[in-house]
Amino acid sequence: MGAGRGSYAALREEALAANLEIPKLSLAILTWGNASAYDPKKGVFAIKPSGVEYADLRERDMVLVDLEGKIVEGSLRPSSDTKTHQVLYREFEGIRGVCHTHSTFATAWAQTRRPIPCLGTTHADQVAGPVPCTKMLGAAEVERDYELGTGELIARTLAGKKALETPMILVAGHGPFSWGASAMKAVHYAAALEEVAHLAFITSMLDAKAASLPDYVVRKHFERKHGAQAYYGQGGK
Amino acid sequence: MGAGRGSYAALREEALAANLEIPKLSLAILTWGNASAYDPKKGVFAIKPSGVEYADLRERDMVLVDLEGKIVEGSLRPSSDTKTHQVLYREFEGIRGVCHTHSTFATAWAQTRRPIPCLGTTHADQVAGPVPCTKMLGAAEVERDYELGTGELIARTLAGKKALETPMILVAGHGPFSWGASAMKAVHYAAALEEVAHLAFITSMLDAKAASLPDYVVRKHFERKHGAQAYYGQGGK
Amino acid sequence: MGAGRGSYAALREEALAANLEIPKLSLAILTWGNASAYDPKKGVFAIKPSGVEYADLRERDMVLVDLEGKIVEGSLRPSSDTKTHQVLYREFEGIRGVCHTHSTFATAWAQTRRPIPCLGTTHADQVAGPVPCTKMLGAAEVERDYELGTGELIARTLAGKKALETPMILVAGHGPFSWGASAMKAVHYAAALEEVAHLAFITSMLDAKAASLPDYVVRKHFERKHGAQAYYGQGGK
Amino acid sequence: MGAGRGSYAALREEALAANLEIPKLSLAILTWGNASAYDPKKGVFAIKPSGVEYADLRERDMVLVDLEGKIVEGSLRPSSDTKTHQVLYREFEGIRGVCHTHSTFATAWAQTRRPIPCLGTTHADQVAGPVPCTKMLGAAEVERDYELGTGELIARTLAGKKALETPMILVAGHGPFSWGASAMKAVHYAAALEEVAHLAFITSMLDAKAASLPDYVVRKHFERKHGAQAYYGQGGK
């Protein structure tokens, strides 16, 4: 890890761009959201410093952290949620970005401590089933190491699923986390989750017994965007 | 169809302008919406390429497609919903633009699989009756050709109505489609539908038994805007 | 009324500024709102032309109309709601501006055909009691002259009240109208009404039996802003 | 208090910046919000003038008022809520800024006259328990001195709590007040309260019996941001 400052510039830039997308997509007010970008070869991720306003963020403010939580580079204190990001990079194969926000509708669903049912194709375009919701973290886990425990709770809840096929979750009582093949994709999944949560809210208000989308439509939509024969987009996922 | 590139420039421009109106009117986040412009003399429509962000769209990115679904011109892959547009141009007389979005309230109504009741004059200014909602597409239709099937489902649901007098529909479990005498008008109907869906949501929440607008007011509003003696606007419809 | 074009310039300017405030305050999408400015000495008001987009509006597009509905000046067709404005200027003493929008929450309340109860001081700052809602216009009135009938219906509903003390109303099944001592004030009352309608919606959702504000608080708030001893603002009402 | 104009320049600047943040964070329409900045050494606070639009506000418009309500400097009439600010500076130790808005969701909760339950960590990051709601002010208090009475009511409701640990309250039937270690922090607490109120609204709609966040999570979140061992932010609170 003795590399010069220059060697992390691209990672810091990627993290900065992803963080700036958060307020641009109205996913956070004040300083309430963070994103990180991971380089699996270096085993290091770049993350937003804690409590800094988006308008003031610069590339050099990003903090470089390794998977043991050691600060590799940076003079600011990293996001208070850093350990949660760290666990996700360690546990989830292939992810290169993580995003956490308190976006309104996703957070409200998290406060109900329930998964978001898959009620339409907008949802199925992201995840082929409900957006999972964790259990509430126990008092002992909160005491021991809250942010680490949150990461482990997320990993436990997704056990047996491919992380890149369920790129989002609600942490009960807290809010959403998302991830993806890049930091920007993690933020875009956060935006998609917020919209899906909003849609499910309105639908549930209009019809408390709204039926889930039939599985054959769920699969069709998920596959046309993410499957081996995907034909959404221009080929580069 | 051996015409030079120049011959479709106006159609591509019209499609581009209509697509750019989608995020401007807050009808889609990320890349979740598409519009097309149709030239009935050439039997060709210009449509948004799939998965390209609005900020990056240029006129030359628009894809030209004929009513058999053949790409006439363009190097990008067209919207994954292209076949649905294609069916609508084939089935609906006089339309020259189609728009599909996942706008929030219209999509949530689609997720309830119910038509939007006509509760006020804002609605009657667009359609003289409920905004129809299709049935859910069957598994066999989804398997055979999902997007073509969606277009046929829309056409079947509107059978017997003049398409230009019912310029919008909800596809159950999916979202809204709209059309009109131009691509821009199709997008403006998408905006009107979103607003009408929002109004109907709030009204239904305040009064679950809210009555439909009396038919004599529905006709008055629809006719003053779209009838033979229309006096809304400046004469050019 | 043989005055030269120049003599109405100030009135046209006032009407233009008020109309441009409508989209700025998010009170209308597309072309769905209009405001007018009245000069009682000339007996003439300037109103938005019908169906013209706000971005295209220029001072010279405003249409000058007298209280008999005669177009005094202007080459465009006036708002389809012109006769409603006309009746209000004739019936309501002291008003110099009228505004009509389809703003979301006010229109949804109008669709429920119920007055908006006075649930808080934000509301009492505008009107000392519920925002009234008209009855539904009858079929004969719609047939005879819809827009004139709408104006008469509003006047009938407010009979016995000072128009400047109840500067807003809901027309059942349609939407809000507001007025004031200037065109700009009429638009600002439209914005206040939209917010009041939004607040009453949320409050009603949280507590279907939410109590009205006690009358002594209603009077206090209304009087501190509009009474003889008003101390809100800088003295010029 | 015979100091020259220059001596309050910094305080006026702080008050101006805080007031301009109100519309920027969408916490008020028109002129419906105010913030003040307090200098405990001088015993004077700078507050927004009454009824002036944010776009027209300049530093020199801020009004300087002492804790007896005497205008120390300024040619405009101060906010009609000035006496409420005054009482809070007198009663709440350590606060240097106060903010009052009619922000939508916080005001709607105030209209229900109920505290906002602590349903998630977004809330616990601000206050370690419900956001309190006052009783309705009595007729005699409204008659005697409404704004002073409002300040005393707030102080009474919070009796026994540290003001800086419960930096926000709902005044029943009216709306939110917030305060903090600076005028800007008071405004940011107003923004946080609005978001918390929005989250609690959605959560309550989805689940009328939504459970409060367990106390061990409430404490953890409040302490990690505000406790002696806080690790959120960069150290300067």
Side-chain angles (χ1 to χ4, degrees), chain B residues 21 25 119-123 125-126 188-189 191-193 195-196 198-203 205-208 210-214 216-217 220-221 224-225 230-235, chain C residues 29-32 49-53 75-78 80-81 102-105 107-109 111-114 136-140 142-143 146-147 172-175 200-201 204-205:
Chain B
E21 193 84 351
L25 296 177
L119 302 174
T121 64
T122 317
H123 182 133
D125 282 338
Q126 322 303 324
H188 286 181
Y189 273 126
L193 171 51
E195 186 63 20
V196 160
H198 195 173
L199 291 172
F201 169 71
I202 303 166
T203 308
M205 289 297 102
L206 285 170
D207 179 4
S212 287
L213 198 65
Y216 60 87
V217 185
K220 175 66 190 175
H221 263 267
R224 82 172 189 169
K225 204 159 180 178
Y231 52 92
Y232 182 94
Q234 299 299 328
Chain C
I29 62 164
L30 306 175
T31 61
W32 301 2
S50 183
V52 176
E53 302 220 10
S75 53
L76 296 175
R77 192 188 279 173
S80 56
D81 298 305
H102 287 230
S103 73
T104 309
F105 287 89
T107 300
W109 272 101
Q111 292 189 167
T112 68
R113 309 182 194 179
R114 298 178 189 164
M136 183 66 62
L137 216 54
V142 168
E143 188 109 343
Y146 175 60
E147 292 82 6
H174 187 159
F201 169 71
S204 301
M205 290 296 103

Side-chain angles (χ1 to χ4, degrees), chain B residues 44-65:
Chain B
V44 166
F45 61 98
I47 192 166
K48 182 176 177 288
S50 184
V52 176
E53 303 220 11
Y54 297 104
D56 299 333
L57 273 190
R58 290 152 311 175
E59 185 226 301
R60 68 167 186 260
D61 298 330
M62 299 297 122
V63 187
L64 279 297
V65 183

Side-chain angles (χ1 to χ4, degrees), chain A residues 6 8 12 21 92 96 98-100 124 136 172 191 196 211 213 234:
Chain A
Y8 294 118
R12 283 195 309 262
E21 193 84 351
F92 289 167
R96 297 207 176 188
V98 169
C99 178
H100 169 52
M136 183 66 62
V196 159
L213 198 65
Q234 300 298 330

Side-chain angles (χ1 to χ4, degrees), chain C residues 1-232:
Chain C
M1 301 290 167
R5 184 179 179 89
S7 62
Y8 294 118
L11 204 59
R12 285 195 308 264
E13 291 243 8
E14 194 195 337
L16 175 65
N19 275 290
L20 295 181
E21 192 85 351
I22 292 174
K24 209 172 135 193
L25 296 177
S26 300
L27 299 174
I29 62 164
L30 306 175
T31 61
W32 301 2
N34 50 70
S36 64
Y38 178 57
D39 181 337
K41 280 193 224 133
K42 293 180 172 144
V44 165
F45 62 96
I47 192 165
K48 182 175 176 288
S50 183
V52 176
E53 302 220 10
Y54 296 104
D56 298 334
L57 273 190
R58 290 151 311 175
E59 185 226 302
R60 66 168 188 261
D61 298 330
M62 300 297 122
V63 187
L64 278 298
V65 183
D66 70 17
L67 295 198
E68 276 68 51
K70 198 165 72 83
I71 293 184
V72 170
E73 197 182 278
S75 53
L76 296 175
R77 192 188 279 173
S79 163
S80 56
D81 298 305
T82 295
K83 284 185 186 171
T84 309
H85 290 240
Q86 179 188 323
V87 174
L88 299 185
Y89 287 122
R90 211 170 54 204
E91 299 293 330
F92 288 167
E93 204 185 317
I95 72 170
R96 296 207 176 187
V98 169
C99 178
H100 170 51
T101 78
H102 287 230
S103 73
T104 309
F105 287 89
T107 300
W109 272 101
Q111 292 189 167
T112 68
R113 309 182 194 179
R114 298 178 189 164
I116 304 177
C118 182
L119 301 173
T121 64
T122 316
H123 182 132
D125 281 338
Q126 322 303 322
V127 197
V131 174
C133 184
T134 69
K135 293 190 178 173
M136 183 66 62
L137 216 54
E141 290 165 302
V142 168
E143 188 109 343
R144 185 171 52 85
D145 191 325
Y146 175 60
E147 292 82 6
L148 199 85
T150 298
E152 291 169 353
L153 175 69
I154 293 173
R156 223 151 55 221
T157 308
L158 280 199
K161 292 188 175 169
K162 288 184 191 166
L164 284 174
E165 295 199 351
T166 306
M168 50 185 68
I169 200 167
L170 305 176
V171 175
H174 187 159
F177 281 82
S178 57
W179 46 86
S182 72
M184 194 57 95
K185 282 183 180 167
V187 177
H188 286 181
Y189 274 126
L193 171 51
E194 174 62 9
E195 186 64 20
V196 160
H198 195 173
L199 291 173
F201 169 71
I202 304 165
T203 307
S204 301
M205 290 296 103
L206 286 169
D207 179 3
K209 297 178 190 303
S212 288
L213 198 64
D215 198 55
Y216 60 87
V217 184
V218 172
R219 291 310 320 173
K220 175 67 189 175
H221 263 266
F222 189 76
E223 296 297 334
R224 82 172 188 169
K225 203 156 179 181
H226 307 284
Q229 314 296 330
Y231 51 92
Y232 182 93

Side-chain angles (χ1 to χ4, degrees), chain D residues 40-54:
Chain D
K41 280 193 223 132
K42 293 181 173 146
V44 167
F45 61 96
I47 192 165
K48 181 176 176 290
S50 183
V52 176
E53 303 219 10
Y54 298 105

